[in-house]
């Protein structure tokens, strides 16, 4: 039996390397599998784990496998063949195709229709990329008005709507009115905020040299764009502090950095626990060459985390130590609402320790490791040596005890005042330790799977970086 449980991406753009996470079940009722590899266009990559117990799959005592495999950039259109190759204890081998990925020219990729807006004179145009979904009218009105009030007037705004209802979409069009600085496009189907921000970035006009991200429910200071532009310089990305406010404008916290240190120069810390909020950033367009397409990583997917890691891996990140916008906290927010903290905390279901560690591996470590692999491939020789070593070491944690020890030891940095991750490395290290022990035990075990060896992917809500969550809810 062979099946993939996570679909392969239907297409990738030519000229861009990536990595894909494959997971599924592979077993033979008559023979024991002794080795498993993922084959991408003829290149073999050992599975990160195979022969893993899957009590949730009927007839599969030990058939679970997964791997994050690199996909090199293709020069032109074509097709990528993905196969699974199994070796058996009796010396036999078998290979089966599990899917194909189309390689498309960038012009062939689905993208929002380009606007006919004429190019603006003077250069330095900022494309403000906003993602919307069922926006609250009052909050969206306030956000649009704060954008129109910017002292830096060299901007346009592209709005990608993630399949809002017809009434809410008409509301967006009404609020934008006849202002030709705005372009609104409705996605044909809902894909979630991660992919919606990716879609918004693809809408940025070709003459925009700088990119800013915008939520649908915040309020910007009038000089936000002007201040960020002045601070960007030769950095790849710049971001600012922010205020947490409720929907009525009452300040809940006048700075984000209370109880946790800010960080914009440590790549490992950024990978473990991002400190850059998407709506706070301004970046050079060249970052899109590294960041697009967004990787399809396992676990939770956050556009700002990916862009932040990509920016720091590819260059320098700058910081403005001043709040430049109000991050509005309200019950309708996708993330970040601290006004209903106790209710949200009860929604997290941590489960028993083994389940937590398993969730930390699948929903915490693997996604970050996939980001690191994508950056190593896309940046190639353009990344400096120390940053390359950081990404390589993080990826190596999956199999290397010394790399795992490095990750776990980083959590002690809190004792030295380096609180940017609040010790979140330890939780990720527990997840990787679960995988290493489970994989080693699975190969030696002759008994049925126990709780330790349950290698099914748990629900996402089993993973929670508790210290970060508690810090976020403290007002």
């Amino acid at each position: 039996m062979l099946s993939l449980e996570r679909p392969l991406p239907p297409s990738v753009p030519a000229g861009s390397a990536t990595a894909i996470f494959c997971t599924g079940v592979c077993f033979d009722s008559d023979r024991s599998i002794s080795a498993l590899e993922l084959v991408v266009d003829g290149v073999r990559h050992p599975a990160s784990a195979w022969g893993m117990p899957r009590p949730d799959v009927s007839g599969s005592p030990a058939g679970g496998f997964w791997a994050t495999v690199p996909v090199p950039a293709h020069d032109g259109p074509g097709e990528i063949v993905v196969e699974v190759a199994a070796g058996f204890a009796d010396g036999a081998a078998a290979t089966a195709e599990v899917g194909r990925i189309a390689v498309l020219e960038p012009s062939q990729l689905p993208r929002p229709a380009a606007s006919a807006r004429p190019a603006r004179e003077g250069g330095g145009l900022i494309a403000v990329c906003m993602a919307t979904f069922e926006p609250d009218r009052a909050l969206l009105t306030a956000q649009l008005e704060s954008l129109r009030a910017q002292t830096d007037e060299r901007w346009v705004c592209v709005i990608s709507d993630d399949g809002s209802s017809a009434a809410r979409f008409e509301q967006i069009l009404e609020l934008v009115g006849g202002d030709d600085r705005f372009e609104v496009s409705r996605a044909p189907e809902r894909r979630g905020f991660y992919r919606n921000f990716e879609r918004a970035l693809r809408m940025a006009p070709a003459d925009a040299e700088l990119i800013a991200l915008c939520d649908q429910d915040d309020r910007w200071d009038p000089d936000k764009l002007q201040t960020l532009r002045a601070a960007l310089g030769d950095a790849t990305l710049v971001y600012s502090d922010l205020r947490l406010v409720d929907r009525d404008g009452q300040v809940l916290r006048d700075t984000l950095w209370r109880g946790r240190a800010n960080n914009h120069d440590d790549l490992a810390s950024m990978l473990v626990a991002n400190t850059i909020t998407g709506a706070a950033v301004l970046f050079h367009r060249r970052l899109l060459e590294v960041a697009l397409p967004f990787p399809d990583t396992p676990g939770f997917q956050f556009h700002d985390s990916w862009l932040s890691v990509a920016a720091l891996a590819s260059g320098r990140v700058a910081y403005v130590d001043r709040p430049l916008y109000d991050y509005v906290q309200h019950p309708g927010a996708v993330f970040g609402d601290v006004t209903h903290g106790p209710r949200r905390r009860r929604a997290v279901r941590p489960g028993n320790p083994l389940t937590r560690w398993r969730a930390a591996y699948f929903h915490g470590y693997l996604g970050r490791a996939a980001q690191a692999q994508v950056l190593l491939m896309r940046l190639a020789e353009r990344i400096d040596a120390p940053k390359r070593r950081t990404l390589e070491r993080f990826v190596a944690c999956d199999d290397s005890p010394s790399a795992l020890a490095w990750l776990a030891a980083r959590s002690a940095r809190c004792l030295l005042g380096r609180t940017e991750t609040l010790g979140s490395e330890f939780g990720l290290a527990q997840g990787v330790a679960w995988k290493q022990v489970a994989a080693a035990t699975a190969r030696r075990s002759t008994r049925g799977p126990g709780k330790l060896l349950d290698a099914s992917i748990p629900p996402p809500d089993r993973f929670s970086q508790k210290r970060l969550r508690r810090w976020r809810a403290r007002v």
Side-chain angles (χ1 to χ4, degrees):
M1 175 182 175
L2 172 61
S3 65
L4 281 186
E5 297 175 314
R6 183 184 177 93
L8 298 174
S11 63
V12 295
S16 181
T18 191
I20 56 175
F21 177 65
C22 299
T23 182
V25 175
C26 180
F27 68 95
D28 190 303
S29 57
D30 300 321
R31 296 177 294 179
S32 173
I33 296 178
S34 59
L36 196 75
E37 297 174 310
L38 276 294
V39 187
V40 179
D41 271 354
V43 179
R44 293 173 174 263
H45 305 277
S48 301
W50 50 268
M52 301 295 286
R54 290 292 303 274
D56 60 318
V57 177
S58 176
S60 172
F65 74 89
W66 61 83
T68 302
V69 294
V71 179
H74 284 233
D75 293 334
E79 204 170 41
I80 298 170
V81 178
V82 181
E83 302 168 293
V84 172
F88 299 95
D90 60 6
T95 301
E97 182 179 314
V98 293
R100 298 185 176 222
I101 303 171
V103 181
L104 305 178
E105 292 286 3
S107 60
Q108 296 176 288
L109 292 172
R111 64 177 60 236
S115 80
R117 179 190 55 79
R120 289 178 176 254
E121 297 181 358
L125 181 67
I126 297 174
V128 178
C129 299
M130 179 186 292
T132 62
F133 176 70
E134 298 292 332
D136 178 287
R137 183 184 183 93
L139 293 176
L140 178 60
T141 298
Q143 174 67 94
L144 293 176
E145 290 307 311
S146 72
L147 179 53
R148 288 183 169 112
Q150 290 298 298
T151 55
D152 188 329
E153 298 180 349
R154 289 174 292 170
W155 60 266
V156 293
C157 179
V158 294
I159 300 176
S160 176
D161 183 71
D162 197 24
S164 294
S165 65
R168 289 294 177 93
F169 185 69
E170 286 300 319
Q171 171 186 287
I172 297 171
L173 296 178
E174 175 192 341
L175 294 176
V176 167
D179 194 332
D180 64 2
R181 294 173 296 180
F182 291 87
E183 176 187 348
V184 184
S185 174
R186 189 183 187 191
E189 60 182 14
R190 189 182 181 196
R191 301 192 64 193
F193 68 92
Y194 180 72
R195 290 299 173 190
N196 195 30
F197 267 107
E198 179 187 39
R199 184 175 184 271
L201 290 173
R202 292 190 182 280
M203 290 175 61
D207 57 329
E209 299 175 13
L210 304 174
I211 310 289
L213 300 182
C214 185
D215 291 333
Q216 66 185 21
D217 49 9
D218 296 331
R219 291 187 287 269
W220 290 8
D221 288 6
D223 63 339
K224 179 175 185 286
L225 291 179
Q226 179 182 350
T227 303
L228 290 175
R229 186 198 292 271
L232 180 58
D234 64 353
T236 299
L237 177 149
V238 62
Y239 70 109
S240 73
D241 198 356
L242 55 91
R243 289 172 297 271
L244 292 176
V245 305
D246 64 19
R247 66 174 296 134
D248 297 322
Q250 180 178 348
V251 176
L252 304 173
R253 189 189 302 175
D254 57 6
T255 175
L256 186 61
W257 305 116
R258 183 179 301 162
R260 179 189 175 194
N262 188 15
N263 162 62
H264 54 86
D265 56 13
D266 189 303
L267 183 57
S269 293
M270 190 71 74
L271 194 59
V272 170
N274 173 46
T275 55
I276 300 178
T277 304
V281 308
L282 179 74
F283 55 85
H284 284 287
R285 188 185 189 93
R286 63 176 180 265
L287 178 59
L288 297 184
E289 298 173 7
V290 178
L292 294 179
F294 285 5
D296 188 16
T297 56
F300 296 104
Q301 296 177 325
F302 299 101
H303 62 285
D304 46 9
S305 295
W306 166 240
L307 289 168
S308 302
V309 173
L312 188 52
S314 59
R316 185 175 67 86
V317 171
Y319 175 64
V320 174
D321 191 14
R322 175 191 146 200
L324 290 178
Y325 77 102
D326 291 342
Y327 187 5
V328 180
Q329 309 292 290
H330 61 98
V334 176
F335 288 101
D337 177 32
V338 299
T339 61
H340 289 68
R343 174 179 60 81
R344 289 182 176 243
R345 283 194 291 272
R346 285 196 297 269
V348 177
R349 300 182 299 161
N352 63 58
L354 295 180
T355 301
R356 291 200 304 270
W357 298 342
R358 183 159 48 102
Y361 177 74
F362 284 110
H363 300 301
Y365 169 77
L366 277 182
R368 291 161 171 80
Q371 287 183 346
Q373 286 182 280
V374 171
L375 289 172
L376 287 168
M377 296 189 65
R378 291 186 184 175
L379 292 171
E381 301 305 317
R382 291 180 290 163
I383 187 172
D384 65 40
K387 291 178 180 178
R388 171 175 290 278
R389 286 194 296 270
T390 293
L391 296 178
E392 290 175 340
R393 181 180 286 181
F394 194 90
V395 172
C397 290
D398 210 6
D399 298 300
S400 166
S402 61
L404 177 57
W406 162 80
L407 179 64
R410 278 185 56 89
S411 62
R413 288 156 52 92
C414 283
L415 302 177
L416 303 176
R418 295 298 303 269
T419 59
E420 67 270 18
T421 69
L422 294 180
S424 296
E425 292 93 342
F426 192 70
L428 299 181
Q430 286 178 316
V432 179
W434 166 86
K435 179 262 179 177
Q436 292 187 0
V437 172
T441 308
R443 295 190 179 98
R444 294 195 302 264
S445 178
T446 58
R447 296 174 296 175
K451 289 184 177 180
L452 175 63
L453 301 182
D454 180 0
S456 60
I457 300 179
D461 64 0
R462 301 294 186 179
F463 171 64
S464 174
Q465 292 175 296
K466 291 187 292 185
R467 290 183 180 179
L468 287 173
R469 177 165 49 83
R470 290 168 182 164
W471 162 78
R472 190 70 182 82
R474 189 180 303 128
V475 295

